């Protein structure tokens, strides 16, 4: 239907694939629309943990979740679409006292840490700070899940709620 095609196949109208999808030069095949899960979950209350006790981030509230892939009961992101996801994880913290403390934030996949960050802080009174992880993760769309965990090597760390502590992510590609 195209009088002067720009490529070997040029269609003036709708192209339909009834099975199989579309195969690209990088050998990937797309069998559904490119849109995938997207979410933003956050902690609704401050939570504290003590020296060397890892605590799962209590991400019990959502701003949005396009396909119910984030479970606020288990604090897990478990999408039903396989692919690569851009994930960001942030924790706001506060501590009081004096000394040098190292605070840790980890992104777990299926119960094991896959990305970690930490920060050594020397202080003589109260302070507020944040730790951030941003990464690309492949999830299989069935059993894979993500969680955030945090701890400190000394004293008591308080995780701040709301805009201070959250996890967000979106599907990028198959």
């Amino acid at each position: 239907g195209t009088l002067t095609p720009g490529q070997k196949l040029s269609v003036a109208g709708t192209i339909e694939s009834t099975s199989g999808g579309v195969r690209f030069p990088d050998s990937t095949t797309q069998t559904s629309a490119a849109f995938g899960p997207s979410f933003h979950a956050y902690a609704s209350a401050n939570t504290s943990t003590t020296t060397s006790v890892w605590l799962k981030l209590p991400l019990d509230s959502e701003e949005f979740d396009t396909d119910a892939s984030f479970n606020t009961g288990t604090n897990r992101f478990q999408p039903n679409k396989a692919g690569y996801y851009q994930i960001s994880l942030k924790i706001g913290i506060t501590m009081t006292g004096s000394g040098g403390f190292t605070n840790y934030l980890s992104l777990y996949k299926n119960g094991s840490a896959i990305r970690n960050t930490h920060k050594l802080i020397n202080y003589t009174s109260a302070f507020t700070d944040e730790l951030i992880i941003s990464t690309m993760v492949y999830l299989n769309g069935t059993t894979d899940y993500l969680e955030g965990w945090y701890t400190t090597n000394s004293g008591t760390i308080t995780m701040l709620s709301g805009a201070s502590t959250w996890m967000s992510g979106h599907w990028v590609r198959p």
Side-chain angles (χ1 to χ4, degrees), residues 54-57 89 104-108 147-151:
W54 283 89
L55 187 65
K56 187 184 333 182
L57 291 177
L89 180 63
Y104 302 88
L105 177 64
S106 291
L107 178 65
Y108 276 57
E147 301 170 320
W149 290 78
Y150 73 106
T151 193

Side-chain angles (χ1 to χ4, degrees), residues 10-170:
S10 184
V11 178
T14 301
I15 298 173
E16 179 180 8
S17 172
T18 58
S19 66
V22 177
R23 186 172 176 96
F24 293 96
D26 67 356
S27 298
T28 61
T29 301
Q30 185 172 330
T31 58
S32 65
F35 300 106
S38 180
F39 75 97
H40 182 82
Y42 60 94
S44 66
N46 294 354
T47 306
S48 297
T49 191
T50 57
T51 304
S52 300
V53 176
W54 283 89
L55 187 65
K56 187 184 333 182
L57 291 177
L59 303 171
D60 57 356
S61 297
E62 294 174 322
E63 186 173 333
F64 62 89
D65 186 356
T66 61
D67 72 344
S69 289
F70 194 92
N71 184 325
T72 56
T74 62
N75 308 300
R76 287 182 177 174
F77 175 58
Q78 187 170 4
N80 58 17
K81 183 172 185 173
Y84 289 90
Y85 288 81
Q86 175 62 46
I87 302 294
S88 296
L89 180 63
K90 176 186 171 196
I91 182 173
I93 57 174
T94 185
M95 293 180 84
T96 59
S98 61
F101 300 89
T102 303
N103 298 312
Y104 302 88
L105 177 64
S106 291
L107 178 65
Y108 276 57
K109 177 181 177 183
N110 304 331
S112 298
I114 60 167
R115 297 289 183 274
N116 304 293
T117 189
H118 65 278
K119 191 180 284 188
L120 171 62
I121 300 183
N122 293 301
Y123 64 98
T124 57
S125 61
F127 78 93
T128 301
D129 205 351
E130 62 185 29
L131 294 135
I132 299 171
I133 293 173
S134 184
T135 189
M136 187 85 67
V137 180
Y138 180 81
L139 299 170
N140 65 16
T142 55
T143 58
D144 287 345
Y145 63 89
L146 298 176
E147 301 170 320
W149 290 78
Y150 73 106
T151 193
T152 184
N153 73 337
S154 183
T156 299
I157 180 176
T158 300
M159 176 214 73
L160 301 172
S161 63
S164 296
T165 300
W166 48 263
M167 181 190 294
S168 65
H170 64 275

